[in-house]
Amino acid sequence: MKNILFALLFLTACTARPQVLVNQLGHYPDGEKIAVMQGSYTGTFRIVDEQTGETVYENTAGETFASPFSGKRLTHLDFTPMNKPGTYRVVTENGASSSVFSIDDNVLAPLASTALNAFFLQRSQPGHPDTSVMIHSSAVSLERPEGTVISSPGGWYDAGDYNKYIVNASYTTGLVLAGYEKYPGYSLNDGILEEMMYNLQWALTMQDPGDGGVYHKLTTPSFEGFVKPEECKQQRYVVQKSVTATLDFAASMGQAARICRQFPEYSQTADEMEKAAEYAYQWALNNPDALYNQFEMNKQFDPDVSTGAYGDRSARDEFFWASCELYLTTGEESYYEKMMEYAPESFTAPLWGNVNGLGYFALLTHGKATETMKQHLISFCDSIALKAQGAPYASSYGNSERDFFWGCLSESCLSNAISLLYGYALNGNKDYLDQALHNMDYLLGRNPLGYCYVTGVGTKSPVNPHHRLAATDGIPGPLPGFLVGGPNPAKQDGCDYPSDFPDECYLDIVESYASNEIAINWNATLLHLAVALDALSR
């Protein structure tokens, strides 16, 4: 399977560091097109047709900038007027060149497709059937005492590990389905809905039918080693119901019910999802302080659990998102009142730990955002666009040390770009669209290390991600279509990184979970943004 998928990718992987940095997939004909040359340069450059060897465009180098971290000099090579579809490379008069890239009306369509297929590859079956999952002592109820065995099959593995977490899975489906609703008629939408339904069907099994609360996660007590899924030995449990998991569940189920109601084959499922969402929401209202604290849980209950916590200090943003989705789905005034009670005072790009942005996205798509909310979004977009001024890599992302942390490529670079596109839909400011494209350019190769940070895509991409499935399948190389976390100066994995500069703190080895892990929520931003840019740029 892996070898077949590699053959279908746009370009093959290699490890050479280019002298001229480009988006290794390429550009849309009408989009801005900028390459970045390493070093100071004042001469000319050419765009050369890869098939014929002919020069099809020539220009003089633009401004030179310095990296705010390393001081390295970087020169912009702007070839925006070049809009003829084809396959090209950038060549300078002093012999520097770029990797091959395309100019094409569908240039990001292969990226969207492989990002979607990554979810299929991340499915937990057949590796973990999860038909004999125990109720953890922290999750007991009258109908389900400790040790009760339930069936909870399906869903995706969360990241490089083999566990399944409601908070992150609900955020993931919510963000992907937000794109589904925002860009109706997109060519991949049938497949997107089908794949999201696979995970949502699992999530339904995580709700306690006795009270409506939702278990925080399905997990082993500790992380499994780097072994094949079928070789795992630990008992799997569902643990403690939490208000954040329950509200994220309610939000994603309410959203999915609204979408599924459009299709006769999903009508019964839509009713089930809406009822489950409202049941969960009521549990959350009755248990608003039931935040997940793994440290405190382990003091009271056995066995101890040390896997991903997805903890939170507040459920206000989850109440807002769930209220938005259920208001849009049911039209009930009570949800609108709760939505306004929990409405934030500013817009923030969505993250699993702050889902306010998903509430904004839903309201904007359905024309229900207040004028204040619209102003919040535009203020945010303006602040992001300003960061591109004088940027050495011609992107609003990557110019501050705050841009680099665990999962930064998803949670800053791409999440900001997605938000810019909602602003673009609101006021038509083309700079927002351009900056969203430039963030994608950064991700796909126009960055300090010249990496396309998606496995199996571009001419230089990660080959050793922190990913148990890929590391144990017996086939060399990664599973394709996965976004890695990206440069992370915190280096929580304790690995020996080759650089201390924030934008170069990346290491392509399996052990580097702080920079090189994969995760479903990160792929959600990749899929949403690729779909959005492809839909808007055609």
Side-chain angles (χ1 to χ4, degrees), residues 353-414:
N354 187 338
V355 294
N356 281 325
L358 293 182
Y360 274 76
F361 290 172
L363 295 173
L364 288 161
T365 296
H366 292 276
K368 298 294 184 179
T370 66
E371 288 303 313
T372 298
M373 292 175 185
K374 294 176 185 177
Q375 291 169 10
H376 288 168
L377 175 62
I378 295 305
S379 294
F380 174 87
C381 292
D382 285 343
S383 70
I384 295 300
L386 278 174
K387 295 179 180 181
Q389 294 182 3
Y393 292 95
S395 168
S396 64
Y397 172 79
N399 307 303
S400 166
E401 188 168 354
R402 292 190 299 271
D403 287 342
F404 300 99
F405 51 87
W406 196 323
C408 60
L409 293 176
S410 167
E411 297 183 3
S412 183
C413 183
L414 299 193

Side-chain angles (χ1 to χ4, degrees), residues 114-445:
T114 195
L116 172 59
N117 191 64
F119 284 101
F120 178 83
L121 299 176
Q122 193 70 355
R123 288 184 176 193
S124 64
Q125 290 178 309
H128 282 92
D130 284 334
T131 52
S132 298
V133 179
M134 281 190 181
I135 301 293
H136 189 261
S137 57
S138 65
V140 299
S141 60
L142 288 176
E143 296 84 1
R144 291 180 167 184
E146 181 181 355
T148 299
V149 175
I150 66 170
S151 182
S152 186
W156 308 302
Y157 295 129
D158 180 70
D161 61 303
Y162 292 139
N163 301 310
K164 302 185 290 190
Y165 307 79
I166 281 290
V167 165
N168 205 37
S170 298
Y171 168 80
T172 296
T173 55
L175 181 57
V176 173
L177 289 179
Y180 178 99
E181 285 198 290
K182 183 66 176 175
Y183 306 101
Y186 187 72
S187 59
L188 290 180
N189 274 1
D190 288 348
I192 286 173
L193 182 57
E194 180 181 353
E195 191 58 40
M196 297 305 108
M197 287 296 292
Y198 174 79
N199 189 76
L200 288 159
Q201 292 285 8
W202 161 70
L204 286 169
T205 71
M206 291 288 285
Q207 184 174 42
D208 186 339
D211 60 17
V214 179
Y215 304 115
H216 196 76
K217 57 181 174 177
L218 191 163
T219 182
T220 48
S222 59
F223 287 116
E224 294 280 3
F226 272 69
V227 297
K228 294 180 179 180
E230 57 270 23
E231 295 174 357
C232 294
K233 303 298 183 184
Q234 295 185 61
Q235 175 63 46
R236 288 162 77 82
Y237 295 88
V238 290
V239 303
Q240 189 180 322
K241 300 164 199 168
S242 73
V243 63
T244 50
T246 300
L247 286 169
D248 286 338
F249 170 97
S252 61
M253 286 296 167
Q255 175 193 39
R258 182 173 67 244
I259 292 170
C260 287
R261 195 163 289 127
Q262 304 170 42
F263 305 98
E265 64 269 30
Y266 284 138
S267 60
Q268 185 175 345
T269 303
D271 291 342
E272 181 184 1
M273 287 177 166
E274 184 175 334
K275 290 177 183 177
E278 295 202 272
Y279 197 21
Y281 192 90
Q282 188 58 52
W283 186 93
L285 289 175
N286 295 334
N287 299 272
D289 299 320
L291 296 167
Y292 186 79
N293 185 321
Q294 193 157 278
F295 179 77
E296 293 297 326
M297 183 186 77
N298 286 338
K299 289 181 179 180
Q300 303 176 55
F301 303 104
D302 292 315
D304 283 2
V305 176
S306 60
T307 54
Y310 287 103
D312 213 328
R313 296 181 179 178
S314 169
R316 288 191 62 87
D317 54 308
E318 287 85 2
F319 267 113
F320 176 69
W321 180 32
S323 300
C324 290
E325 298 290 3
L326 283 168
Y327 166 64
L328 293 171
T329 297
T330 68
E332 291 184 13
E333 190 68 20
S334 60
Y335 292 121
Y336 180 83
E337 292 172 357
K338 281 293 181 182
M339 178 187 86
M340 296 309 296
E341 176 184 344
Y342 288 102
E345 296 182 357
S346 61
F347 175 84
T348 49
L351 313 168
W352 71 260
N354 187 338
V355 294
N356 281 325
L358 293 182
Y360 274 76
F361 290 172
L363 295 173
L364 288 161
T365 296
H366 292 276
K368 298 294 184 179
T370 66
E371 288 303 313
T372 298
M373 292 175 185
K374 294 176 185 177
Q375 291 169 10
H376 288 168
L377 175 62
I378 295 305
S379 294
F380 174 87
C381 292
D382 285 343
S383 70
I384 295 300
L386 278 174
K387 295 179 180 181
Q389 294 182 3
Y393 292 95
S395 168
S396 64
Y397 172 79
N399 307 303
S400 166
E401 188 168 354
R402 292 190 299 271
D403 287 342
F404 300 99
F405 51 87
W406 196 323
C408 60
L409 293 176
S410 167
E411 297 183 3
S412 183
C413 183
L414 299 193
S415 195
N416 286 351
I418 291 168
S419 303
L420 285 167
L421 296 181
Y422 280 85
Y424 173 66
L426 193 58
N427 70 2
N429 185 341
K430 189 173 180 296
D431 190 38
Y432 296 168
L433 173 60
D434 291 338
Q435 296 310 324
L437 284 162
H438 287 313
N439 276 24
M440 185 64 93
D441 293 338
Y442 187 101
L443 181 85
L444 298 180

